Amino acid sequence: MRKFVLEILDLLSEGLRLGRGYLGGEMSSNPTMFVNYYPPCPDPTLTLGLRQHCDGSLITILFQDVNGLQILKDGQWIAAHPIDDALLINFGYVFEVVSNGKLKASEHRVVTNTKVPRQSLTYLAYPQNDVIIEPAKCLINEANPPHYRSMKFEDFKRKHNSVLSNKEEIMKYMSLNKPE
Ligand SMILES: O=C(O)CCC(=O)C(=O)O
Ligand SMILES: [Fe+2]
């Protein structure tokens, strides 16, 4: 899995002109895996499988077997259907910060269904706890000022966990105006 993730991260590093290897080291070498199980729900209008959120990772690789994942795009929830033999990649807040907002963390949620249980497997590529996350220096110049502040990843993660997916709170925390 790590080898696959490194290939993806190298391509993303190159695409953003960060230089090969920029994202592949301590920015992503502290991963966590989860297996999620969503039982069928007699009335899916009453509850979500997982509420709206963005991941606190650099990127998240996701395998899903049954419909349910939705991505927020231009104010609309779009179903991200499972595709045979395909993995889905979500950008997390760390990617948003490092890319200085060129790529935004994707907001997603999971809806339930009445018939079949759903399972998903996520691999969240997190930085090491003591890594400083900030907009990559090579993306910053006079015409492109930083939009996010520098944060120790462990502090960011604590905040992310404590505000339970409240995007407004997290954006405020990551913004340049937050006092150190
Ligand atoms: O189950 C899914 O499809 C999504 C899981 C997810 O978003 C998460 O674990 O952060
Ligand atoms: Fe997620």
Side-chain angles (χ1 to χ4, degrees):
M1 190 66 178
R2 176 79 184 144
K3 200 165 158 230
F4 168 72
V5 172
L6 285 178
E7 258 177 59
I8 300 285
L9 290 176
D10 267 345
L11 291 171
L12 289 168
S13 301
E14 270 185 49
L16 278 173
R17 302 199 195 298
L18 299 174
R20 229 180 145 80
Y22 188 94
L23 301 170
E26 55 180 11
M27 288 298 288
S28 59
S29 56
N30 186 20
T32 303
M33 271 181 116
F34 288 108
V35 178
N36 304 301
Y37 178 77
Y38 307 89
C41 175
D43 184 354
T45 62
L46 293 179
T47 188
L48 287 167
L50 196 58
R51 73 171 127 184
Q52 171 175 357
H53 68 283
C54 298
D55 297 342
S57 57
L58 179 65
I59 59 170
T60 301
I61 317 273
L62 181 130
F63 171 79
Q64 52 171 346
D65 61 348
V66 165
N67 282 334
L69 180 66
Q70 297 184 334
I71 312 281
L72 191 61
K73 184 171 186 294
D74 304 326
Q76 303 254 52
W77 286 107
I78 314 280
H81 301 295
I83 300 172
D84 280 348
D85 299 327
L87 296 167
L88 184 142
I89 298 176
N90 270 323
F91 293 110
Y93 281 121
V94 176
F95 207 101
E96 177 164 340
V97 171
V98 171
S99 71
N100 199 29
K102 271 202 173 136
L103 287 157
K104 299 279 195 291
S106 68
E107 264 188 287
H108 52 283
R109 69 179 186 182
V110 179
V111 293
T112 50
N113 78 75
T114 54
K115 296 195 176 66
V116 283
R118 175 176 186 274
Q119 289 173 83
S120 68
L121 194 142
T122 50
Y123 175 105
L124 295 115
Y126 287 120
Q128 294 293 336
N129 282 336
D130 57 354
V131 162
I132 301 294
I133 55 170
E134 61 187 0
K137 297 248 177 343
C138 58
L139 299 179
I140 302 302
N141 52 46
E142 243 176 86
N144 297 292
H147 299 306
Y148 305 85
R149 69 188 183 96
S150 301
M151 295 155 278
K152 205 171 173 189
F153 178 66
E154 119 184 289
D155 296 334
F156 164 77
K157 196 171 179 196
R158 195 174 306 115
K159 181 71 183 179
H160 184 255
N161 292 340
S162 74
V163 299
L164 294 176
S165 328
N166 181 327
K167 183 156 191 191
E168 205 182 315
E169 280 291 312
I170 295 171
M171 295 308 287
K172 227 192 292 168
Y173 182 79
M174 300 193 310
S175 92
L176 272 181
N177 305 325
K178 170 90 175 62
E180 289 293 324

